[in-house]
Amino acid sequence: NAGVTQTPKFRVLKTGQSMTLLCAQDMNHEYMYWYRQDPGMGLRLIHYSVGEGTTAKGEVPDGYNVSRLKKQNFLLGLESAAPSQTSVYFCASRMTATDTQYFGPGTRLTVL
Amino acid sequence: QQQVKQSPQSLIVQKGGISIINCAYENTAFDYFPWYQQFPGKGPALLIAIRPDVSEKKEGRFTISFNKSAKQFSLHIMDSQPGDSATYFCAASKPSFNKFYFGSGTKLNVKP
């Protein structure tokens, strides 16, 4: 099992550009999450999904959109990137019956 | 309002010493309190977790102490080793919330 994988690992964008981050899990987990990690601020929840076809907002959803068309994939989109979105993005997943989240390796995004 | 407050921001401990990281939470409905360990360039990984029906949980050199009345919990690393050098995050959740709230992180450096 690969666990949780994220694509790409690194990306540099110019202000106003768009991009999509892909998260994939092969553990058949119902729940999936997108977090951003910034120095001194821990992990902040952007959006999450409790199952295929459902999404919900987290703490910091502005400027991001998500989709969960397949159970194993959770996409995070930036429609018009801003320098404030420079961060490391982590995806996580968990089973319904447990509280343990499994994190991916992260995507480091720089917006110039 | 920050749901989980973590301190200290950074910690330096000598090899063999005890590392202590503290967290305080706001919402009395939280009933799951995990600690995650993150090495540079990697995603966080669950280290140990506790529920409020016990005051302490120990796994090897790692212990969580939980004080429900004070709404505080802490991570103790006994006989700290250089390999424990990492960033540690506390978190809190209630399963029905579908969300996890993370502390700001503590960067631990264990000196040989």
Side-chain angles (χ1 to χ4, degrees):
Chain A
N1 286 352
V4 180
T5 58
Q6 293 183 232
T7 309
K9 288 185 170 51
F10 303 94
R11 185 73 185 266
V12 178
L13 288 178
K14 294 182 179 179
T15 297
Q17 289 185 318
S18 63
M19 77 163 294
T20 301
L21 282 67
L22 170 64
C23 175
Q25 52 95 4
D26 60 1
M27 298 175 284
N28 201 35
H29 287 174
E30 290 291 336
Y31 291 78
M32 295 188 76
Y33 304 83
W34 275 108
Y35 294 92
R36 60 177 292 173
Q37 183 177 30
D38 302 292
M41 303 190 74
L43 290 145
R44 293 182 292 168
L45 183 63
I46 303 171
H47 286 280
Y48 65 99
S49 169
V50 301
E52 182 180 323
T54 70
T55 63
K57 294 180 180 180
E59 297 176 77
V60 288
D62 295 341
Y64 305 95
N65 57 76
V66 288
S67 64
R68 184 122 181 250
L69 299 180
K70 294 182 179 181
K71 186 177 184 179
Q72 64 267 34
N73 296 337
F74 195 28
L75 279 63
L76 178 70
L78 286 73
E79 293 181 343
S80 179
S84 61
Q85 295 177 303
T86 293
S87 187
V88 181
Y89 291 85
F90 287 99
C91 175
S93 70
R94 74 174 177 99
M95 289 175 57
T96 304
T98 73
D99 295 309
T100 303
Q101 289 185 92
Y102 295 86
F103 283 83
T107 294
R108 183 173 293 276
L109 175 67
T110 301
V111 183
L112 302 176
Chain B
Q1 182 185 14
Q2 193 174 0
Q3 297 277 355
V4 180
K5 296 181 180 179
Q6 183 173 345
S7 64
Q9 188 174 357
S10 62
L11 183 61
I12 299 174
V13 174
Q14 290 296 125
K15 179 182 175 181
I18 302 174
S19 303
I20 302 175
I21 305 170
N22 301 299
C23 283
Y25 63 97
E26 293 292 327
N27 194 330
T28 55
F30 290 146
D31 63 359
Y32 176 70
F33 302 90
W35 284 91
Y36 282 82
Q37 181 187 54
Q38 183 182 30
F39 294 105
K42 305 291 184 182
L46 180 65
L47 183 64
I48 186 173
I50 197 169
R51 296 194 183 276
D53 53 344
V54 296
S55 61
E56 186 176 283
K57 183 174 181 180
K58 184 176 181 180
E59 290 184 0
R61 297 184 293 109
F62 300 91
T63 300
I64 300 178
S65 296
F66 186 80
N67 186 330
K68 189 174 182 178
S69 60
K71 296 190 291 183
Q72 295 176 346
F73 58 109
S74 59
L75 176 69
H76 296 237
I77 306 174
M78 311 300 288
D79 186 27
S80 298
Q81 299 296 313
D84 297 330
S85 297
T87 299
Y88 293 82
F89 294 96
C90 62
S93 79
K94 181 175 175 67
S96 60
F97 290 174
N98 296 323
K99 300 177 186 178
F100 292 75
Y101 297 91
F102 283 81
S104 54
T106 297
K107 187 171 185 179
L108 172 65
N109 186 5
V110 181
K111 297 284 193 182

